Amino acid sequence: MLAIISDIHSNLEALQAVLDDIREQGVEKIYCLGDIIGYGPNPRECIDAVMDFPVVLLGNHDQAAIFDPEGFNAGALRAILWTRQQLEEDPNQERAMQRWEFLAERPRRHSENGVIYVHGSVRNPLNEYIFPEDIYNQRKMEKIFALVEQYCFQGHTHVPGIFTERLEYYHPEEISGEYRLDNAKTLINVGSVGQPRDGDWRACYVLFDPKQRLVRFRRVPYDVETTIQKIYEVEELDKYLGDRLREGR
Ligand code: ZN
């Protein structure tokens, strides 16, 4: 059994709650689909927590923190620049260097037994969003599915769900959090650990049992008020970045 997490966004409380939950599920490996950092108050700690995972992909916020940020709104950009500063100004410079190198070496995709793992989409691993309403954009979805061998796990939108090549979308709530993959090509958005945007504030991730082809969505409550307080205390992080956590928006 595999746990697949994404979009932690420097939210340590959410990440720790998810890792605790994962520990109780009989999971062998944890994969992370990127965006470890950006938005939240604990970039260093979140990177340290995922460094040993066998697969950690590069997300657009990870890339922006170490390379040139492009295409971000003002609040996200300020958070990215503050994040970069946190990574650079760690008093432990050796550790700072290790984190920097770790981020710089992240792959953009991983593929294993016919299953692809990306941050955004298989067509544009770093930046393309596939939202639930894209199911009505047949041309876009056909192009995406043409690039998928069988199944693709992704994140980036912070909205969990199942997309099939029959152009169906299921939010986890509609399927009681469980989906058995069939022979149709399927995209699985694992949702966001640290900044869910589907109206549910709880951290989200996925358990995947490849033998049974079973995908299970997990929602994990965490101490969201502590994270919000920490965000309020950093001038460079917009208050909105805290407030939205409470709403899951
Ligand atoms: Zn993200």
Side-chain angles (χ1 to χ4, degrees):
M1 181 123 72
L2 193 60
I4 308 164
I5 69 175
S6 190
D7 295 272
I8 299 161
H9 286 295
S10 304
N11 184 336
L12 187 60
E13 287 71 31
L15 177 59
Q16 282 171 339
V18 161
L19 294 180
D20 287 346
D21 192 70
I22 287 174
R23 242 169 261 130
E24 292 164 12
Q25 309 297 326
V27 165
E28 291 137 47
K29 289 185 290 187
I30 307 175
Y31 290 1
C32 173
L33 307 185
D35 277 4
I36 307 160
I37 55 179
Y39 296 132
N42 286 105
R44 296 171 187 161
E45 294 80 359
C46 288
I47 296 171
D48 292 348
V50 306
M51 263 188 173
D52 295 333
F53 296 173
V55 174
V56 180
L57 303 180
L58 184 72
N60 55 317
H61 285 256
D62 308 319
Q63 188 201 38
I66 53 169
F67 301 111
D68 279 329
E70 249 177 63
F72 293 92
N73 65 43
L77 183 60
R78 259 197 308 281
I80 285 164
L81 297 177
W82 176 82
T83 298
R84 177 183 296 181
Q85 199 183 14
Q86 293 303 298
L87 297 182
E88 283 172 347
E89 292 177 1
D90 191 323
N92 183 343
Q93 275 298 302
E94 196 185 317
R95 192 74 191 138
M97 192 64 82
Q98 285 168 356
R99 288 192 201 104
W100 199 269
E101 278 169 12
F102 171 76
L103 288 180
E105 288 165 357
R106 289 309 87 211
R108 287 157 190 251
R109 58 181 280 155
H110 175 73
S111 120
E112 189 180 328
N113 305 324
V115 183
I116 302 167
Y117 302 84
V118 291
H119 180 65
S121 84
V122 65
R123 181 163 67 172
N124 179 341
L126 223 48
N127 287 306
E128 185 171 43
Y129 292 95
I130 300 177
F131 283 109
E133 55 268 30
D134 281 324
I135 218 71
Y136 303 108
N137 187 343
Q138 192 178 347
R139 277 189 59 176
K140 174 175 177 176
M141 296 309 283
E142 277 174 0
K143 283 191 177 135
I144 303 278
F145 276 113
L147 300 171
V148 174
E149 196 179 329
Q150 180 73 72
Y151 308 129
C152 178
F153 286 89
Q154 59 199 40
H156 193 39
T157 62
H158 302 203
V159 178
I162 298 281
F163 302 76
T164 74
E165 65 178 334
R166 297 179 291 261
L167 299 181
E168 304 151 322
Y169 166 79
Y170 302 105
H171 185 272
E173 262 181 21
E174 298 171 62
I175 49 174
S176 307
E178 249 186 51
Y179 188 82
R180 198 174 295 273
L181 297 163
D182 54 27
N183 288 330
K185 292 184 181 182
T186 306
L187 316 178
I188 304 99
N189 192 309
V190 304
S192 169
V193 169
Q195 197 195 79
R197 292 180 194 159
D198 62 338
D200 184 339
W201 63 276
R202 297 172 299 168
C204 186
Y205 78 96
V206 150
L207 295 168
F208 175 43
D209 182 341
K211 281 190 205 102
Q212 306 215 45
R213 297 207 280 185
L214 190 64
V215 174
R216 275 195 292 147
F217 292 88
R218 302 279 305 167
R219 294 312 285 241
V220 186
Y222 71 97
D223 182 4
V224 66
E225 293 303 328
T226 293
T227 313
I228 293 171
Q229 265 317 311
K230 287 186 190 173
I231 290 173
Y232 283 179
E233 282 159 23
V234 178
E235 200 186 320
E236 290 88 341
L237 300 179
D238 285 3
K239 288 210 158 40
Y240 166 69
L241 294 175
D243 297 337
R244 70 188 302 178
L245 297 180
R246 204 179 279 129
E247 313 292 323
R249 291 283 173 203

